[in-house]
Amino acid sequence: MEIKIKEVKNNTSHVEATLDKNEVDQQKEHAVDELIKEVTVKGFRQGKAPKKIAADHIDPDKLSNHILGHILNDIIDKTIKENKYRLLGRPVLENIDSQSKDGWIIKISLPLYPEINIDNYQKLFSKSDSKKKEIEDEKIDRIYQTLSEKINVDIPEQVVEEETNYSLERLAEQAKTLNLTLESYLKAINKNLDQIKEEYRKKATESIKLDLILLEIGKKEKIDTDIKEIAVVAEKNGIPESQLGRLKSIMDRRKTIELLLKLC
């Protein structure tokens, strides 16, 4: 398999992979070997039918998806390893040419984690000169605004697009609970799809940018909540073990904000 980086732009790497016919055939054989274990053929126990017979009973679409899944995983793994990439979001399949007798040509794009310069970030903040005493929420808002305005982060477009679409899906579900279509809901609030999508795009960009900056500051300051502390909070609030990773992220973020509050 030959992998080429065609272009890296806006923290998105555009990759083209070429597989010759033998490589594609090997992937097909591998996929068949895996899928026939699930096939039931009359007169044989599941997974025990001869390969040639069982292969004819595999769903063609399932086989194609299995083959493509294996190939994409190989391309992504090798590209990340060879280029030492750090992904920010999910890879996107841009195009696949499988019609050539010589093999397949696959194009994918990889959203990359942006470089974030937080050197001397402390100098971005100063104590408020206002005579009015700020409450904590006001200070936090000021911190967020300062970080967003003063630190540049180039976020891959497809990451923003994915988050925007997710927000639109949630809005559609919300409208559904009110027995409305998305179009009817938007009409009721005097907005059209383009307007709401632009709003969500702006919010997604700001939110992702801020999250990345806070993560970088936390990393720089070696903020890493101890597992015992996480366990205490989880037990107190009835948080299941499956959510401990998310809880750690929340607690790390809070400690980062507390650090920044001391600068204001």
Side-chain angles (χ1 to χ4, degrees):
M1 175 164 50
E2 182 183 12
I3 297 176
K4 294 180 180 178
I5 307 298
K6 304 298 288 185
E7 180 184 38
V8 178
K9 186 177 181 181
N10 297 330
N11 281 316
T12 301
S13 179
H14 298 277
V15 182
E16 181 179 279
T18 304
L19 291 83
D20 61 35
K21 186 177 182 302
N22 288 335
E23 289 173 314
V24 175
D25 289 342
Q26 288 174 8
Q27 291 285 1
K28 287 180 180 179
E29 285 297 312
H30 183 57
V32 169
D33 288 339
E34 290 188 344
L35 291 176
I36 59 174
K37 297 175 184 177
E38 306 170 6
V39 171
T40 299
V41 180
K42 189 176 181 179
F44 299 92
R45 285 183 296 159
Q46 183 175 347
K48 297 300 181 181
K51 183 175 179 178
K52 288 185 178 180
I53 297 175
D56 291 335
H57 289 75
I58 297 174
D59 184 312
D61 290 336
K62 191 172 184 180
L63 177 60
S64 296
N65 289 335
H66 207 74
I67 294 167
L68 182 58
H70 270 290
I71 291 174
L72 288 177
N73 284 337
D74 283 349
I75 294 170
I76 293 166
D77 288 346
K78 289 179 181 178
T79 304
I80 291 173
K81 185 177 180 180
E82 291 174 3
N83 296 276
K84 298 180 180 179
Y85 282 157
R86 182 183 177 192
L87 297 191
L88 180 61
R90 294 186 297 180
V92 173
L93 175 62
E94 294 183 336
N95 186 57
I96 175 169
D97 180 1
S98 59
Q99 302 303 313
S100 173
K101 294 181 180 179
D102 298 326
W104 288 11
I105 298 176
I106 298 175
K107 295 180 180 180
I108 62 174
S109 57
L110 305 178
L112 307 180
Y113 200 101
E115 290 186 11
I116 305 174
N117 184 359
I118 57 167
D119 292 345
N120 301 315
Y121 72 89
Q122 299 94 335
K123 294 182 178 179
L124 299 176
F125 301 97
S126 60
K127 301 290 183 180
S128 175
D129 294 328
S130 174
K131 294 181 181 180
K132 177 188 173 184
K133 187 175 181 180
E134 286 182 303
I135 61 174
E136 185 176 283
D137 285 349
E138 291 174 334
K139 282 188 176 182
I140 291 174
D141 286 342
R142 183 156 62 90
I143 288 169
Y144 288 170
Q145 184 177 357
T146 299
L147 292 175
S148 183
E149 290 178 354
K150 301 297 184 180
I151 299 177
N152 182 56
V153 182
D154 188 8
I155 304 168
E157 178 59 31
Q158 65 193 55
V159 174
V160 175
E161 188 71 21
E162 184 175 353
E163 183 62 28
T164 301
N165 289 337
Y166 178 59
S167 296
L168 287 172
E169 288 172 9
R170 284 185 295 178
L171 182 64
E173 287 297 319
Q174 181 182 339
K176 191 175 180 180
T177 63
L178 299 173
N179 295 317
L180 294 171
T181 64
L182 179 57
E183 291 75 14
S184 299
Y185 182 83
L186 291 176
K187 186 176 181 180
I189 61 174
N190 295 317
K191 291 184 179 180
N192 59 45
L193 186 58
D194 288 338
Q195 287 174 320
I196 205 74
K197 189 170 184 178
E198 184 57 33
E199 287 180 16
Y200 282 156
R201 179 184 295 277
K202 184 177 179 180
K203 287 180 182 178
T205 302
E206 292 174 351
S207 176
I208 295 168
K209 178 179 181 179
L210 188 58
D211 282 345
L212 292 175
I213 294 171
L214 290 173
L215 279 170
E216 205 66 23
I217 293 174
K219 181 180 176 182
K220 179 182 177 67
E221 302 299 341
K222 297 181 172 56
I223 292 175
D224 186 17
T225 306
D226 184 83
I227 187 64
K228 292 181 180 179
E229 186 180 350
I230 297 170
V232 170
V233 174
E235 184 177 0
K236 183 178 179 181
N237 294 277
I239 298 173
E241 188 175 346
S242 60
Q243 295 296 314
L244 294 187
R246 177 172 173 76
L247 177 59
K248 182 183 186 306
S249 297
I250 292 171
M251 294 177 72
D252 285 349
R253 180 188 175 105
R254 179 60 201 180
K255 289 182 178 182
T256 304
I257 292 171
E258 289 172 352
L259 177 71
L260 294 171
L261 282 168
K262 294 176 182 177
L263 303 175
C264 298

